[in-house]
Amino acid sequence: MRKKRIEFVITGALIAAAYAGLTYLSNVFGLAYGPIQLRVSEVLTVLPVFTPAAIPGLTVGCFIANIGSFNIADMVFGTMATLLAAVLTYMFRELGIKGLPLLSMFMPVIINAVIIGFEIALLFLPEGYSFWGFIISGLEVGIGQLIVCMGFGTPFYMVVKKYRIFEKK
């Protein structure tokens, strides 16, 4: 039992470190923060399909990564969005289409589009909050998430599954 807990913590810590590191790498190219994001780290949001250790790993990794935004709201709302998306990804992991957990992989897209889209519309639009500002911000965030989570996440999922990275050996 103790070994399982240690393995859980280590797996979560590695995922957190990978998420934070990949986000900072994305920021080198100006893609980690702001309305249009293509965080390479979001490819890791598929990992709750394989292990529940990814839930705290992604959450902590997102919080650490969002420190780089120098924005308290992003640290709170971004981390909350990641936690909710990770939990939903884990909950829907058994639902698939032709062997792919597409609903699970879509959870970070939906959750981030809504929560981060709202955050941007509420706090960062020069004209202040508006419904259309929220819709546009949500679409911008959602499109970036869709590209990374589905476009890159699908091949990443297949590699992790093929090589049984999270299975006991």
Side-chain angles (χ1 to χ4, degrees):
M1 187 66 148
R2 180 170 150 78
K3 182 181 178 193
K4 279 187 176 189
R5 271 198 316 253
I6 291 170
E7 190 174 293
F8 183 91
V9 170
I10 290 171
T11 300
L14 289 171
I15 292 169
Y19 187 96
L22 288 170
T23 300
Y24 291 137
L25 177 64
S26 297
N27 193 42
V28 169
F29 302 101
L31 300 172
Y33 309 105
I36 299 175
Q37 301 178 7
L38 287 169
R39 287 185 175 186
V40 177
S41 53
E42 288 293 307
V43 76
L44 301 176
T45 61
V46 74
L47 293 179
V49 169
F50 298 102
T51 177
I55 297 170
L58 291 169
T59 305
V60 170
C62 180
F63 179 77
I64 293 167
N66 285 344
I67 290 170
S69 72
F70 302 104
N71 180 335
I72 298 292
D74 203 28
M75 288 180 228
V76 173
F77 290 116
T79 302
M80 180 179 70
T82 297
L83 173 61
L84 181 58
V87 167
L88 292 173
T89 298
Y90 180 76
M91 288 174 58
F92 294 126
R93 71 190 180 281
E94 299 294 327
L95 300 175
I97 300 170
K98 296 190 178 198
L100 282 175
L102 294 178
L103 183 59
S104 282
M105 295 168 69
F106 203 60
M107 287 297 111
V109 176
I110 295 169
I111 299 301
N112 279 291
V114 171
I115 293 176
I116 305 306
F118 180 74
E119 174 194 349
I120 291 169
L122 184 64
L123 301 174
F124 301 110
L125 293 182
E127 68 275 4
Y129 178 82
S130 72
F131 176 74
W132 289 110
F134 164 65
I135 295 297
I136 291 168
S137 296
L139 284 172
E140 289 174 338
V141 171
I143 290 168
Q145 285 288 120
L146 189 65
I147 290 168
V148 177
C149 294
M150 303 299 279
F152 301 135
T154 302
F156 179 68
Y157 167 83
M158 295 201 281
V159 167
V160 171
K161 185 176 179 179
K162 179 180 179 179
Y163 292 102
R164 301 176 179 178
I165 292 171
F166 289 97
E167 288 184 20
K168 306 286 184 240
K169 295 184 178 156

